């Protein structure tokens, strides 16, 4: 069976004032349907760049990205736009439209996709119920807590019925209790809708809590990868050992 996501020899470089930065170096890996896949590494390791390559928000210079066997690198701009509808994304700072109320935020991608206003609204309200925010449909983002804002962002992304959800530090701006509630919600979404989830985080507890698999990045290279229990119980590389052991030392203080 085709993997949900297959990255083959992905490399991405940037130019900055000090010269060339090799943000992602020849990375290959696969994510299977229904996985919750964590990507960990120190700040600057290339996590964000790698994940942004998966939907070609960043276009890698080399390599191919296959979504259920279809190579995104070979698609026309129109075909790529269509494929991208299957790949949702949520962010650390939620990226809500501050001038629109909660329901209108959730309706927004549906309007762009040409869904009738009445149908969009109905779907938005059902999703807001699902994420526990049925009563906040008319509130504005500024009136919500961080956790509630992330729930709106999750409802909004679900509105497009994605196959894949990319989460870039989605809980990093939240307190531990709110983090737990958002993680439970992501887990439920993964189970109920069968959505494959990719999680970038610097919080090891988050990875251990929800991920089925994990990849470790170090200076742009994928240095270790596997089932969560294998990697967390017996990390092989220095980079993985440092991330995992340091995190649990800090947590046990
Ligand atoms: P992480 O998500 O692991 O913190 P990033 O993918 O954000 O890492 O960054 C990897 C490297 O690429 C860093 O050295 C960063 O400074 C560099 N980088 C990322 N985006 C850009 C950009 N748009 N322009 C120049 N350098 C960038």
């Amino acid at each position: 069976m085709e993997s949900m996501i297959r990255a083959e020899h992905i490399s991405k470089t940037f130019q900055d004032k000090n010269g060339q930065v090799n943000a992602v170096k020849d990375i290959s890996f696969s994510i299977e349907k229904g996985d919750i896949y964590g990507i960990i590494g120190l700040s600057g390791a290339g996590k964000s760049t790698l994940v942004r390559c998966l939907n070609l928000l960043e276009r890698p210079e080399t390599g191919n990205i296959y979504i259920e066997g279809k190579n995104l690198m070979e698609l026309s701009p129109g075909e790529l736009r269509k494929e991208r509808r299957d790949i949702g994304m949520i962010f650390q700072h939620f990226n809500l439209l501050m001038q629109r109320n909660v329901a209108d935020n959730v309706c927004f991608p549906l309007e762009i996709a040409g869904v009738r206003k009445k149908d969009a609204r109905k779907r938005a309200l059902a999703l807001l119920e699902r994420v526990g925010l049925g009563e906040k449909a008319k509130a504005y983002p500024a009136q919500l807590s961080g956790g509630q804002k992330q729930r709106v962002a999750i409802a909004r992304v679900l509105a497009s019925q994605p196959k894949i959800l990319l989460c870039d530090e989605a809980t990093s701006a939240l307190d531990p209790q709110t983090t737990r509630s958002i993680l439970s919600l992501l887990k439920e979404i993964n189970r109920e809708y069968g959505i494959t989830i990719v999680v970038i985080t610097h919080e090891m507890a988050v990875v251990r809590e929800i991920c089925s698999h994990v990849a470790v990045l170090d200076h742009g290279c994928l240095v270790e990868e596997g089932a969560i229990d294998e990697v967390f119980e017996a990390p092989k590389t220095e980079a993985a050992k440092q991330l995992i052991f340091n995190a649990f030392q800090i947590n046990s203080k």
Side-chain angles (χ1 to χ4, degrees):
M1 211 173 68
E2 289 285 1
S3 298
M4 180 53 83
I5 303 172
R6 186 155 59 88
E8 231 179 47
H9 301 296
I10 296 300
S11 297
K12 178 75 192 174
T13 56
F14 295 107
Q15 294 296 331
D16 72 2
K17 54 184 185 311
N18 302 319
Q20 184 167 302
V21 182
N22 298 315
V24 168
K25 299 180 199 162
D26 192 23
I27 288 186
S28 301
F29 67 112
S30 299
I31 302 180
E32 306 309 319
K33 182 171 163 46
D35 280 355
I36 303 185
Y37 194 96
I39 298 182
I40 62 175
L42 294 176
S43 179
K47 305 181 293 294
S48 222
T49 306
L50 177 62
V51 165
R52 291 162 63 84
C53 284
L54 298 181
N55 59 1
L56 301 197
L57 274 181
E58 296 287 0
R59 205 175 173 92
E61 283 99 32
T62 66
N64 293 303
I65 304 284
Y66 299 90
I67 303 294
E68 290 187 313
K70 190 180 277 186
N71 187 356
L72 297 190
M73 296 291 282
E74 288 176 351
L75 301 182
S76 67
E79 289 169 328
L80 181 58
R81 259 197 307 280
K82 193 158 156 275
E83 282 304 309
R84 277 211 187 112
R85 284 191 207 135
D86 287 338
I87 311 177
M89 203 160 184
I90 58 172
F91 305 90
Q92 181 174 5
H93 296 298
F94 325 117
N95 292 17
L96 300 180
L97 299 165
M98 301 307 276
Q99 301 79 2
R100 286 181 156 228
N101 72 24
V102 161
D104 290 339
N105 263 279
V106 180
C107 286
F108 187 63
L110 297 173
E111 286 169 21
I112 289 176
V115 176
R116 284 212 330 246
K117 212 173 167 100
K118 207 172 124 208
D119 295 335
R121 199 156 183 85
K122 201 168 148 203
R123 202 188 300 175
L125 293 178
L127 284 166
L128 285 169
E129 282 295 335
R130 175 62 196 84
V131 302
L133 284 182
E135 288 165 11
K136 296 286 185 190
K138 292 194 172 139
Y140 282 81
Q143 298 168 306
L144 303 180
S145 68
Q148 289 171 330
K149 284 182 198 155
Q150 198 57 293
R151 284 172 188 272
V152 176
I154 291 171
R156 181 177 59 181
V157 87
L158 291 178
S160 308
Q161 300 173 300
K163 290 188 234 172
I164 297 168
L165 175 57
L166 308 176
C167 308
D168 190 352
E169 296 281 6
T171 58
S172 298
L174 306 175
D175 62 64
Q177 196 179 338
T178 309
T179 292
R180 269 196 295 281
S181 76
I182 294 294
L183 295 180
S184 315
L185 180 60
L186 290 175
K187 239 178 174 168
E188 287 164 21
I189 285 167
N190 166 255
R191 276 201 223 110
E192 276 175 43
Y193 303 95
I195 297 178
T196 305
I197 300 184
V198 183
V199 177
I200 301 181
T201 179
H202 64 272
E203 300 166 291
M204 294 307 119
V206 168
V207 179
R208 197 164 62 174
E209 171 92 20
I210 67 165
C211 293
S212 54
H213 294 79
V214 65
V216 183
L217 296 199
D218 185 31
H219 294 96
C221 298
L222 194 160
V223 293
E224 193 161 340
E225 198 224 8
I228 187 75
D229 292 344
E230 281 168 29
V231 176
F232 269 54
E233 276 163 29
K236 294 188 195 76
T237 57
E238 205 46 47
K241 283 179 192 166
Q242 280 195 2
L243 285 167
I244 293 163
F245 294 152
N246 286 348
F248 294 118
Q249 263 167 16
I250 290 162
N251 287 347
S252 64
K253 268 186 199 158

